[in-house]
Amino acid sequence: MAEHNDLGKKGEDIAVAYLQRKGYKIFCRNWHDRHLEIDIVAMHNNMLVVVEVKTRTTALFGEPEMEVTPAKQKFLVRAAESYILAHDYEGETRFDVIGVLLGNGQMQIKHIEDAFMPL
């Protein structure tokens, strides 16, 4: 596995553990439908939560969570719509972003709840 894939998996593992500690129920990780993907699908306070995780070793070029561009947001909304249809979900949904910064033996997690709204 490529080094960046290892880093991404480690970040997702950290994000899942973090969410579970906060009381989130994890439904699935790396959900796919053709070319669509969601890093983490969870339930929290009776709301479906679609979580995008960004992991970096340095913030030299910006915080990891800032990598969720408008194009990526649009992609996540399409993926969520596909997930919702596939699972007949009829409740509320929100989009969270978790930035994980791993470097110099330290770890920082930034969780942005309701990070963006579908357009």
Side-chain angles (χ1 to χ4, degrees):
M1 186 179 284
E3 191 174 319
H4 72 277
N5 290 339
D6 290 340
L7 180 65
K9 183 179 180 331
K10 186 173 184 177
E12 287 178 12
D13 291 344
I14 290 167
V16 164
Y18 168 84
L19 290 170
Q20 288 174 324
R21 282 192 307 274
K22 290 187 71 173
Y24 287 67
K25 180 179 179 188
I26 306 301
F27 285 165
C28 62
R29 291 178 60 173
N30 299 309
W31 181 83
H32 288 273
D33 179 20
R34 295 172 299 248
H35 66 285
L36 302 171
E37 180 190 357
I38 300 172
D39 290 339
I40 301 170
V41 179
M43 182 65 74
H44 188 247
N45 295 331
N46 296 317
M47 186 176 295
L48 187 73
V49 183
V50 174
V51 183
E52 176 69 7
V53 180
K54 291 295 183 186
T55 308
R56 299 289 180 267
T57 57
T58 179
L60 188 61
F61 300 106
E63 300 295 322
E65 61 277 3
M66 301 312 293
E67 294 290 320
V68 183
T69 64
K72 180 64 176 180
Q73 292 173 16
K74 197 173 187 180
F75 178 84
L76 288 168
V77 169
R78 286 199 336 263
E81 288 170 346
S82 183
Y83 180 90
I84 288 165
L85 285 172
H87 293 87
D88 284 330
Y89 179 73
E90 295 184 8
E92 291 186 61
T93 303
R94 79 167 195 247
F95 296 88
D96 288 7
V97 175
I98 295 181
V100 180
L101 193 56
L102 300 172
N104 300 325
Q106 297 182 18
M107 175 181 64
Q108 293 178 341
I109 299 171
K110 185 171 184 183
H111 182 190
I112 304 169
E113 294 182 10
D114 222 356
F116 61 90
M117 300 294 290
L119 299 174

